Amino acid sequence: MSDFRDLVADAAARVADYRERVDSLPVFPQDTDIRGALGDLPEKPTPAADVIRRLAGAVEPALVATTGPRYFGFVTGGALDAATAADILTTGWDQSAFNHTTAPAAAVVEDVAGEWLKDVLGLPSTASFGFVTGGQGANTVGLAAARHHMLAKAGWDVERRGLNGAPALRVVASEERHATIDRSLRLLGLGTDAVEPVRADAQGAIDVADLERVLDGPAIVCLQAGNVNSGAFDNFAAAIALAHEHGAWVHVDGAFGLWAAANPASSPLVAGVETADSWAADGHKWLNVPYDSGYAFCAHPESHAAAMSFTAAYLTGHGDGDLRAPSDFVPESSRRARGFATWAALSQLGRTGIAELIERCCALARRFADQLGEVEGITVVNDVVLNQVLVGFGDETDRVVEAVQRSGECWMGATTWHGQRLMRISVSGWNTTEADVDRSVAAISASWKAVRERRRG
Ligand SMILES: *Cc1c(COP(=O)(O)O)cnc(C)c1O
């Protein structure tokens, strides 16, 4: 056996060992001296096997068990078996998914996976798509297409002339938009002051009457599928119809919430979303693809390509002849072949498996809410319409969250929503079971009890 074969087999075995043990590890690591274990920059070459031994030795004790069944932070899921293995292959194959010349296999797999994604998410089959880094990347691409489209309608070629001297662009977005929308606007030169905020209702969905008040004429309207705190959905049918009456472009940030469309029981939450102009969704959240996986979709392929195309922005490039060039729809040139892991995740689950994943996570979120709501002094403050549960512990929330995190039993973060400090539970992992929820509820209840007793004591 070659050294390389041994090395890769060793790495694969480490991955398998880690995944087999992850359920029994503390979900958040104890303090370890990662820096010390990494050592100094070596003067001379080091055998690859020693490098990997050192890296794994330093890092493994400090890993967060995001692939385990009791990680409930940040709406990120774990990573499915097939998607993980496909991502390992992606690294080994080392293809640059620029276009059909650099990597024909990567280009075709992205084509196929992109079509499947539109199908599963209920988006128009004519929409264009780009495989990007995540929700942030997808929001940036969607808003760049919007910027191009709206300014072109006003007679201004933003790709060539930039924003200096351009007609003003209005951006209308909910006061509860995700922070990545603001960063995208910064990157695109529109700036955060461009946002005209619209009120949100008690659950964090956009107030359509207030949207009507704010809208007067062309604008970029940002809507949201899945409020990052409450999981609430904007009323797409009403809001999009209204925005289109004003000649607006509608971008939907659906990083995790767009997946509601893939499950018949939750798809009414996104009714009408397919009439928007651009959409952002994540692979590395609810689809349980390893990190570095997001999708930008656009109902106006010409505007999408005009904003992103590599060769020249004003030549709406569509690759070699009839072939779609992946790089015309993303902001990068040389790039990881992201389609392989997504294709593997979709293949492993199939249409019914995806629906079951979404349904199971929603049911488990309701289980959290039902059980925690029964405990004296604990309040569930949101309508649990999806996979998000917001839990209050009076003025002890931060202490309880901290105690739960320290227990290592499970992990969830804290948030401030409508002026209240709250525990934020997101159920997004493919491998979370009812028993994991029950065990986590027990850990939360125990922490709550301990914090209360300490306060009284
Ligand atoms: C997570 C999230 C994003 C950002 O996605 P990344 O993949 O972290 O870049 C954007 N919008 C919403 C609603 C999100 O939940």
Side-chain angles (χ1 to χ4, degrees):
M1 285 223 290
S2 70
D3 286 352
F4 182 68
R5 181 171 293 274
D6 287 344
L7 185 69
V8 172
D10 173 65
R14 285 179 190 276
V15 171
D17 288 347
Y18 174 71
R19 292 291 178 97
E20 277 168 19
R21 283 187 298 124
V22 70
D23 193 359
S24 61
L25 299 172
V27 180
F28 200 85
Q30 319 292 332
D31 279 345
T32 60
D33 179 16
I34 306 168
R35 262 175 202 284
L38 290 171
D40 298 324
L41 173 66
E43 288 303 323
K44 299 214 172 80
T46 310
D50 294 349
V51 170
I52 296 307
R53 203 173 305 119
R54 180 150 209 157
L55 177 66
V59 165
E60 275 197 350
L63 295 177
V64 179
T66 52
T67 58
R70 287 183 308 285
Y71 183 82
F72 304 107
F74 303 105
V75 213
T76 56
L80 288 159
D81 288 353
T84 302
D87 218 33
I88 292 172
L89 290 174
T90 304
T91 299
W93 290 334
D94 196 30
Q95 301 290 287
S96 174
F98 179 67
N99 63 17
H100 283 266
T101 305
T102 59
V108 172
V109 172
E110 276 195 13
D111 273 354
V112 172
E115 298 299 329
W116 288 5
L117 285 169
K118 286 187 284 177
D119 180 348
V120 166
L121 295 172
L123 300 179
S125 61
T126 49
S128 50
F129 51 85
F131 283 66
V132 292
T133 48
Q136 175 78 71
N139 281 332
T140 305
V141 171
L143 292 173
R147 183 183 67 164
H148 168 87
H149 193 89
M150 297 308 288
L151 286 175
K153 279 209 298 191
W156 185 270
D157 180 350
V158 70
E159 270 61 50
R160 206 160 49 81
R161 303 177 73 181
L163 285 171
N164 290 330
L169 253 187
R170 305 180 67 219
V171 179
V172 173
S174 162
E175 60 182 342
E176 292 208 23
R177 65 192 174 276
H178 193 268
T180 51
I181 294 290
D182 292 67
R183 181 152 66 175
S184 296
L185 294 173
R186 281 158 47 197
L187 293 172
L188 291 168
L190 293 166
T192 50
D193 277 358
V195 177
E196 297 176 48
V198 179
R199 277 196 291 274
D201 67 17
Q203 289 300 318
I206 203 164
D207 177 337
V208 178
D210 200 49
L211 177 64
E212 185 158 22
R213 179 186 64 81
V214 173
L215 271 175
D216 65 3
I220 298 170
V221 175
C222 301
L223 299 179
Q224 187 161 260
N227 178 296
V228 78
N229 284 305
S230 67
F233 287 75
D234 292 347
N235 179 342
F236 296 114
I240 296 173
L242 184 65
H244 282 168
E245 277 170 30
H246 285 267
W249 173 293
V250 179
H251 173 75
V252 176
D253 176 2
F256 64 96
L258 206 54
W259 290 98
N263 168 30
S266 54
S267 62
L269 293 167
V270 291
V273 78
E274 70 283 356
T275 59
D277 300 282
S278 57
W279 305 264
D282 258 321
H284 56 215
K285 283 183 176 170
W286 221 346
L287 186 59
N288 284 244
V289 173
Y291 288 104
D292 193 36
S293 180
Y295 319 114
F297 302 95
C298 187
H300 309 275
E302 297 289 325
S303 293
H304 187 173
M308 287 296 136
S309 135
F310 180 76
T311 40
Y314 43 90
L315 305 172
T316 55
H318 289 289
D320 318 331
D322 288 340
L323 298 174
R324 171 189 172 276
S327 58
D328 281 347
F329 300 93
V330 298
E332 304 149 309
S333 47
S334 304
R335 178 173 63 95
R336 184 175 185 77
R338 300 192 182 107
F340 297 153
T342 292
W343 183 89
L346 295 170
S347 297
Q348 185 188 327
L349 293 171
R351 202 186 295 276
T352 58
I354 298 167
E356 280 163 23
L357 166 64
I358 303 305
E359 182 58 26
R360 186 167 61 248
C361 290
C362 293
L364 293 174
R366 292 192 295 269
R367 189 179 183 92
F368 258 119
D370 290 345
Q371 294 191 19
L372 289 172
E374 292 285 298
V375 181
E376 200 215 319
I378 301 182
T379 335
V380 175
V381 307
N382 67 318
D383 291 347
V384 180
V385 296
L386 200 70
N387 62 339
Q388 301 291 109
V389 190
L390 296 174
V391 190
F393 302 82
D395 52 9
E396 300 289 354
T397 296
D398 285 303
R399 264 178 287 269
V400 175
V401 170
E402 213 184 290
V404 173
Q405 291 174 346
R406 220 177 320 110
S407 77
E409 282 283 286
C410 54
W411 199 95
M412 51 274 285
T415 186
T416 302
W417 193 61
H418 297 178
Q420 245 184 311
R421 289 297 288 165
L422 298 166
M423 173 185 277
R424 171 169 169 250
I425 302 173
S426 308
V427 189
S428 319
W430 67 273
N431 52 358
T432 301
T433 63
E434 291 185 347
D436 290 308
V437 172
D438 298 353
R439 185 171 156 185
S440 302
V441 167
I444 295 166
S445 304
S447 294
W448 167 230
K449 227 177 111 190
V451 166
R452 264 216 304 203
E453 270 161 21
R454 220 175 307 138
R455 187 180 55 183
R456 285 187 189 135

mmCIF file of all heavy atoms in Angstrom, residues 80 116 119-120 259-266 287 345-361 430:
data_model
loop_
_atom_site.group_PDB
_atom_site.id
_atom_site.type_symbol
_atom_site.label_atom_id
_atom_site.label_comp_id
_atom_site.label_asym_id
_atom_site.label_seq_id
_atom_site.Cartn_x
_atom_site.Cartn_y
_atom_site.Cartn_z
ATOM 1 N N LEU A 80 -25.394 14.601 6.398
ATOM 2 C CA LEU A 80 -25.836 13.257 6.026
ATOM 3 C C LEU A 80 -24.651 12.390 5.611
ATOM 4 O O LEU A 80 -23.635 12.893 5.123
ATOM 5 C CB LEU A 80 -26.805 13.349 4.845
ATOM 6 C CG LEU A 80 -28.193 13.920 5.144
ATOM 7 C CD1 LEU A 80 -28.836 14.416 3.859
ATOM 8 C CD2 LEU A 80 -29.059 12.847 5.799
ATOM 9 N N TRP A 116 -32.991 19.499 -9.633
ATOM 10 C CA TRP A 116 -33.662 18.775 -8.529
ATOM 11 C C TRP A 116 -34.057 19.726 -7.404
ATOM 12 O O TRP A 116 -35.145 19.617 -6.835
ATOM 13 C CB TRP A 116 -32.744 17.687 -7.967
ATOM 14 C CG TRP A 116 -32.548 16.514 -8.866
ATOM 15 C CD1 TRP A 116 -33.009 16.353 -10.135
ATOM 16 C CD2 TRP A 116 -31.813 15.312 -8.545
ATOM 17 N NE1 TRP A 116 -32.598 15.136 -10.641
ATOM 18 C CE2 TRP A 116 -31.875 14.485 -9.688
ATOM 19 C CE3 TRP A 116 -31.106 14.869 -7.424
ATOM 20 C CZ2 TRP A 116 -31.259 13.229 -9.730
ATOM 21 C CZ3 TRP A 116 -30.497 13.619 -7.454
ATOM 22 C CH2 TRP A 116 -30.576 12.806 -8.599
ATOM 23 N N ASP A 119 -37.109 21.695 -8.248
ATOM 24 C CA ASP A 119 -38.260 20.790 -8.172
ATOM 25 C C ASP A 119 -38.715 20.637 -6.715
ATOM 26 O O ASP A 119 -39.877 20.875 -6.360
ATOM 27 C CB ASP A 119 -37.827 19.444 -8.797
ATOM 28 C CG ASP A 119 -38.925 18.404 -8.791
ATOM 29 O OD1 ASP A 119 -39.947 18.616 -8.116
ATOM 30 O OD2 ASP A 119 -38.737 17.369 -9.457
ATOM 31 N N VAL A 120 -37.766 20.281 -5.837
ATOM 32 C CA VAL A 120 -38.092 20.011 -4.432
ATOM 33 C C VAL A 120 -38.584 21.281 -3.725
ATOM 34 O O VAL A 120 -39.478 21.222 -2.878
ATOM 35 C CB VAL A 120 -36.846 19.438 -3.719
ATOM 36 C CG1 VAL A 120 -37.011 19.462 -2.222
ATOM 37 C CG2 VAL A 120 -36.558 18.028 -4.202
ATOM 38 N N TRP A 259 -37.096 25.391 2.841
ATOM 39 C CA TRP A 259 -37.263 23.934 2.855
ATOM 40 C C TRP A 259 -38.655 23.506 3.300
ATOM 41 O O TRP A 259 -39.035 22.350 3.105
ATOM 42 C CB TRP A 259 -36.172 23.278 3.706
ATOM 43 C CG TRP A 259 -34.856 23.400 3.012
ATOM 44 C CD1 TRP A 259 -33.885 24.330 3.230
ATOM 45 C CD2 TRP A 259 -34.404 22.613 1.905
ATOM 46 N NE1 TRP A 259 -32.854 24.170 2.338
ATOM 47 C CE2 TRP A 259 -33.150 23.129 1.519
ATOM 48 C CE3 TRP A 259 -34.944 21.524 1.198
ATOM 49 C CZ2 TRP A 259 -32.420 22.585 0.454
ATOM 50 C CZ3 TRP A 259 -34.221 20.984 0.147
ATOM 51 C CH2 TRP A 259 -32.978 21.520 -0.211
ATOM 52 N N ALA A 260 -39.419 24.432 3.892
ATOM 53 C CA ALA A 260 -40.807 24.103 4.248
ATOM 54 C C ALA A 260 -41.564 23.646 3.009
ATOM 55 O O ALA A 260 -42.500 22.842 3.095
ATOM 56 C CB ALA A 260 -41.487 25.316 4.874
ATOM 57 N N ALA A 261 -41.145 24.140 1.842
ATOM 58 C CA ALA A 261 -41.825 23.797 0.590
ATOM 59 C C ALA A 261 -41.695 22.314 0.250
ATOM 60 O O ALA A 261 -42.515 21.760 -0.486
ATOM 61 C CB ALA A 261 -41.247 24.634 -0.549
ATOM 62 N N ALA A 262 -40.674 21.665 0.788
ATOM 63 C CA ALA A 262 -40.385 20.276 0.413
ATOM 64 C C ALA A 262 -41.223 19.271 1.195
ATOM 65 O O ALA A 262 -41.132 18.071 0.950
ATOM 66 C CB ALA A 262 -38.896 19.996 0.620
ATOM 67 N N ASN A 263 -42.027 19.765 2.119
ATOM 68 C CA ASN A 263 -42.838 18.883 2.956
ATOM 69 C C ASN A 263 -44.303 19.293 2.814
ATOM 70 O O ASN A 263 -44.658 20.420 3.159
ATOM 71 C CB ASN A 263 -42.358 19.026 4.414
ATOM 72 C CG ASN A 263 -43.306 18.373 5.406
ATOM 73 O OD1 ASN A 263 -43.980 17.393 5.084
ATOM 74 N ND2 ASN A 263 -43.350 18.932 6.604
ATOM 75 N N PRO A 264 -45.168 18.416 2.291
ATOM 76 C CA PRO A 264 -46.560 18.806 2.049
ATOM 77 C C PRO A 264 -47.233 19.425 3.272
ATOM 78 O O PRO A 264 -48.026 20.362 3.139
ATOM 79 C CB PRO A 264 -47.235 17.478 1.668
ATOM 80 C CG PRO A 264 -46.133 16.638 1.110
ATOM 81 C CD PRO A 264 -44.890 17.033 1.862
ATOM 82 N N ALA A 265 -46.886 18.949 4.483
ATOM 83 C CA ALA A 265 -47.553 19.475 5.681
ATOM 84 C C ALA A 265 -47.146 20.918 5.974
ATOM 85 O O ALA A 265 -47.919 21.670 6.563
ATOM 86 C CB ALA A 265 -47.241 18.590 6.883
ATOM 87 N N SER A 266 -45.939 21.319 5.570
ATOM 88 C CA SER A 266 -45.497 22.685 5.873
ATOM 89 C C SER A 266 -45.508 23.591 4.644
ATOM 90 O O SER A 266 -45.293 24.804 4.772
ATOM 91 C CB SER A 266 -44.093 22.669 6.501
ATOM 92 O OG SER A 266 -43.174 21.972 5.686
ATOM 93 N N LEU A 287 -30.781 20.933 4.781
ATOM 94 C CA LEU A 287 -30.562 19.751 3.936
ATOM 95 C C LEU A 287 -29.460 18.856 4.504
ATOM 96 O O LEU A 287 -29.263 17.736 4.041
ATOM 97 C CB LEU A 287 -30.251 20.178 2.490
ATOM 98 C CG LEU A 287 -30.150 19.048 1.452
ATOM 99 C CD1 LEU A 287 -31.460 18.239 1.385
ATOM 100 C CD2 LEU A 287 -29.777 19.569 0.075
ATOM 101 N N ALA A 345 -26.832 14.326 -1.095
ATOM 102 C CA ALA A 345 -27.851 14.489 -0.050
ATOM 103 C C ALA A 345 -29.242 14.255 -0.625
ATOM 104 O O ALA A 345 -30.062 13.532 -0.041
ATOM 105 C CB ALA A 345 -27.761 15.891 0.557
ATOM 106 N N LEU A 346 -29.511 14.874 -1.789
ATOM 107 C CA LEU A 346 -30.837 14.726 -2.404
ATOM 108 C C LEU A 346 -31.085 13.271 -2.790
ATOM 109 O O LEU A 346 -32.200 12.761 -2.671
ATOM 110 C CB LEU A 346 -30.956 15.641 -3.634
ATOM 111 C CG LEU A 346 -30.901 17.147 -3.359
ATOM 112 C CD1 LEU A 346 -30.789 17.927 -4.675
ATOM 113 C CD2 LEU A 346 -32.131 17.605 -2.584
ATOM 114 N N SER A 347 -30.030 12.599 -3.261
ATOM 115 C CA SER A 347 -30.178 11.199 -3.677
ATOM 116 C C SER A 347 -30.414 10.294 -2.479
ATOM 117 O O SER A 347 -31.218 9.370 -2.540
ATOM 118 C CB SER A 347 -28.926 10.728 -4.424
ATOM 119 O OG SER A 347 -28.754 11.462 -5.599
ATOM 120 N N GLN A 348 -29.668 10.539 -1.402
ATOM 121 C CA GLN A 348 -29.817 9.659 -0.236
ATOM 122 C C GLN A 348 -31.231 9.765 0.342
ATOM 123 O O GLN A 348 -31.846 8.750 0.681
ATOM 124 C CB GLN A 348 -28.797 10.019 0.855
ATOM 125 C CG GLN A 348 -28.858 9.038 2.034
ATOM 126 C CD GLN A 348 -28.011 9.462 3.224
ATOM 127 O OE1 GLN A 348 -26.964 10.076 3.077
ATOM 128 N NE2 GLN A 348 -28.485 9.124 4.420
ATOM 129 N N LEU A 349 -31.761 10.978 0.418
ATOM 130 C CA LEU A 349 -33.069 11.161 1.049
ATOM 131 C C LEU A 349 -34.221 10.865 0.091
ATOM 132 O O LEU A 349 -35.237 10.299 0.501
ATOM 133 C CB LEU A 349 -33.201 12.592 1.562
ATOM 134 C CG LEU A 349 -32.277 12.982 2.719
ATOM 135 C CD1 LEU A 349 -32.369 14.483 2.978
ATOM 136 C CD2 LEU A 349 -32.618 12.207 3.986
ATOM 137 N N GLY A 350 -34.065 11.267 -1.152
ATOM 138 C CA GLY A 350 -35.195 11.177 -2.074
ATOM 139 C C GLY A 350 -36.276 12.164 -1.668
ATOM 140 O O GLY A 350 -36.212 12.770 -0.590
ATOM 141 N N ARG A 351 -37.265 12.302 -2.534
ATOM 142 C CA ARG A 351 -38.317 13.288 -2.277
ATOM 143 C C ARG A 351 -39.017 13.037 -0.934
ATOM 144 O O ARG A 351 -39.240 13.948 -0.154
ATOM 145 C CB ARG A 351 -39.338 13.231 -3.423
ATOM 146 C CG ARG A 351 -40.164 14.474 -3.586
ATOM 147 C CD ARG A 351 -41.235 14.278 -4.648
ATOM 148 N NE ARG A 351 -40.701 14.076 -5.978
ATOM 149 C CZ ARG A 351 -40.338 15.079 -6.797
ATOM 150 N NH1 ARG A 351 -40.471 16.316 -6.403
ATOM 151 N NH2 ARG A 351 -39.870 14.825 -7.991
ATOM 152 N N THR A 352 -39.348 11.771 -0.668
ATOM 153 C CA THR A 352 -40.077 11.501 0.582
ATOM 154 C C THR A 352 -39.163 11.646 1.793
ATOM 155 O O THR A 352 -39.608 12.077 2.859
ATOM 156 C CB THR A 352 -40.691 10.084 0.587
ATOM 157 O OG1 THR A 352 -39.626 9.134 0.410
ATOM 158 C CG2 THR A 352 -41.719 9.915 -0.501
ATOM 159 N N GLY A 353 -37.909 11.304 1.622
ATOM 160 C CA GLY A 353 -36.971 11.437 2.744
ATOM 161 C C GLY A 353 -36.760 12.883 3.148
ATOM 162 O O GLY A 353 -36.613 13.198 4.333
ATOM 163 N N ILE A 354 -36.738 13.785 2.150
ATOM 164 C CA ILE A 354 -36.591 15.212 2.462
ATOM 165 C C ILE A 354 -37.831 15.691 3.218
ATOM 166 O O ILE A 354 -37.727 16.369 4.244
ATOM 167 C CB ILE A 354 -36.388 16.032 1.173
ATOM 168 C CG1 ILE A 354 -35.107 15.598 0.452
ATOM 169 C CG2 ILE A 354 -36.315 17.523 1.497
ATOM 170 C CD1 ILE A 354 -34.986 16.127 -0.971
ATOM 171 N N ALA A 355 -39.004 15.306 2.715
ATOM 172 C CA ALA A 355 -40.242 15.708 3.391
ATOM 173 C C ALA A 355 -40.260 15.190 4.829
ATOM 174 O O ALA A 355 -40.637 15.912 5.760
ATOM 175 C CB ALA A 355 -41.454 15.184 2.616
ATOM 176 N N GLU A 356 -39.813 13.950 5.018
ATOM 177 C CA GLU A 356 -39.804 13.375 6.370
ATOM 178 C C GLU A 356 -38.820 14.101 7.283
ATOM 179 O O GLU A 356 -39.097 14.294 8.471
ATOM 180 C CB GLU A 356 -39.451 11.881 6.306
ATOM 181 C CG GLU A 356 -40.632 11.015 5.925
ATOM 182 C CD GLU A 356 -40.209 9.623 5.455
ATOM 183 O OE1 GLU A 356 -39.096 9.182 5.819
ATOM 184 O OE2 GLU A 356 -40.992 9.006 4.715
ATOM 185 N N LEU A 357 -37.666 14.470 6.729
ATOM 186 C CA LEU A 357 -36.679 15.209 7.526
ATOM 187 C C LEU A 357 -37.284 16.516 8.045
ATOM 188 O O LEU A 357 -37.173 16.851 9.239
ATOM 189 C CB LEU A 357 -35.432 15.502 6.666
ATOM 190 C CG LEU A 357 -34.422 16.524 7.191
ATOM 191 C CD1 LEU A 357 -33.762 16.055 8.477
ATOM 192 C CD2 LEU A 357 -33.359 16.822 6.136
ATOM 193 N N ILE A 358 -37.944 17.249 7.145
ATOM 194 C CA ILE A 358 -38.539 18.529 7.538
ATOM 195 C C ILE A 358 -39.651 18.293 8.559
ATOM 196 O O ILE A 358 -39.723 18.953 9.604
ATOM 197 C CB ILE A 358 -39.096 19.278 6.292
ATOM 198 C CG1 ILE A 358 -37.995 19.496 5.249
ATOM 199 C CG2 ILE A 358 -39.755 20.594 6.695
ATOM 200 C CD1 ILE A 358 -36.767 20.187 5.720
ATOM 201 N N GLU A 359 -40.505 17.328 8.274
ATOM 202 C CA GLU A 359 -41.644 17.045 9.155
ATOM 203 C C GLU A 359 -41.176 16.605 10.543
ATOM 204 O O GLU A 359 -41.709 17.040 11.565
ATOM 205 C CB GLU A 359 -42.527 15.961 8.511
ATOM 206 C CG GLU A 359 -43.766 15.602 9.308
ATOM 207 C CD GLU A 359 -44.684 16.807 9.555
ATOM 208 O OE1 GLU A 359 -44.651 17.752 8.748
ATOM 209 O OE2 GLU A 359 -45.398 16.796 10.572
ATOM 210 N N ARG A 360 -40.157 15.753 10.567
ATOM 211 C CA ARG A 360 -39.655 15.240 11.848
ATOM 212 C C ARG A 360 -39.084 16.384 12.697
ATOM 213 O O ARG A 360 -39.368 16.483 13.886
ATOM 214 C CB ARG A 360 -38.580 14.181 11.579
ATOM 215 C CG ARG A 360 -38.070 13.461 12.808
ATOM 216 C CD ARG A 360 -37.258 12.223 12.431
ATOM 217 N NE ARG A 360 -36.068 12.536 11.638
ATOM 218 C CZ ARG A 360 -35.877 12.215 10.366
ATOM 219 N NH1 ARG A 360 -36.817 11.551 9.705
ATOM 220 N NH2 ARG A 360 -34.773 12.524 9.737
ATOM 221 N N CYS A 361 -38.296 17.247 12.080
ATOM 222 C CA CYS A 361 -37.717 18.371 12.825
ATOM 223 C C CYS A 361 -38.818 19.274 13.383
ATOM 224 O O CYS A 361 -38.730 19.736 14.529
ATOM 225 C CB CYS A 361 -36.766 19.173 11.943
ATOM 226 S SG CYS A 361 -35.231 18.292 11.555
ATOM 227 N N TRP A 430 -30.619 15.693 10.894
ATOM 228 C CA TRP A 430 -31.271 14.494 10.359
ATOM 229 C C TRP A 430 -31.339 13.384 11.415
ATOM 230 O O TRP A 430 -32.179 12.492 11.321
ATOM 231 C CB TRP A 430 -30.512 13.972 9.124
ATOM 232 C CG TRP A 430 -29.139 13.436 9.456
ATOM 233 C CD1 TRP A 430 -27.979 14.150 9.534
ATOM 234 C CD2 TRP A 430 -28.792 12.086 9.775
ATOM 235 N NE1 TRP A 430 -26.941 13.337 9.889
ATOM 236 C CE2 TRP A 430 -27.402 12.058 10.040
ATOM 237 C CE3 TRP A 430 -29.512 10.887 9.864
ATOM 238 C CZ2 TRP A 430 -26.720 10.889 10.381
ATOM 239 C CZ3 TRP A 430 -28.825 9.720 10.210
ATOM 240 C CH2 TRP A 430 -27.444 9.731 10.465
#
